Amino acid sequence: MRPIIRLFFRTLRLVLAPFMLLSEKLTRGSALERSPAQQAEVDAETAKLALYQFSTCPFCIKVRKRMHQLNLNVEQRDTQHNATHRQALEQGGGRVKVPCLLITHDDGREEWMYESDTINAYLQERFGSAA
């Protein structure tokens, strides 16, 4: 019975995936406008960030939409299809759970932030203003 249930949910994910990705593109809103100098400064800061995610995870979609709205260029690491990224997430963060934002601080210390609401609040607080 268990293999049948797994097959059902895998098939369901395959069928729903294109609709979820299309919905993400259509509902993500417009990006925050910054001057070129401000955007360059933000890009330098976001170079220290990496988002571990699955493409069709609803919570990951929520974070990617916020990153788009804030006009952030954060590296996205697919842990579903890339074993290296999956292993790095497990070793660094302690568990394979997405979304997870890796923040590399100036002193080299790594902070692994889980939960889409926590990540979105951090991104909004850090990069939310265009001033």
Side-chain angles (χ1 to χ4, degrees), residues 26-41:
L26 295 175
T27 62
R28 64 185 183 180
S30 58
L32 181 66
E33 300 267 337
R34 295 186 183 93
S35 71
Q38 289 172 327
Q39 188 62 45
E41 186 177 316

Side-chain angles (χ1 to χ4, degrees), residues 11-32:
T11 304
L12 184 63
R13 277 196 309 262
L14 283 173
V15 170
L16 292 179
F19 297 104
M20 293 174 72
L21 295 173
L22 180 62
S23 173
E24 176 186 359
K25 297 291 184 199
L26 295 175
T27 62
R28 64 185 183 180
S30 58
L32 181 66

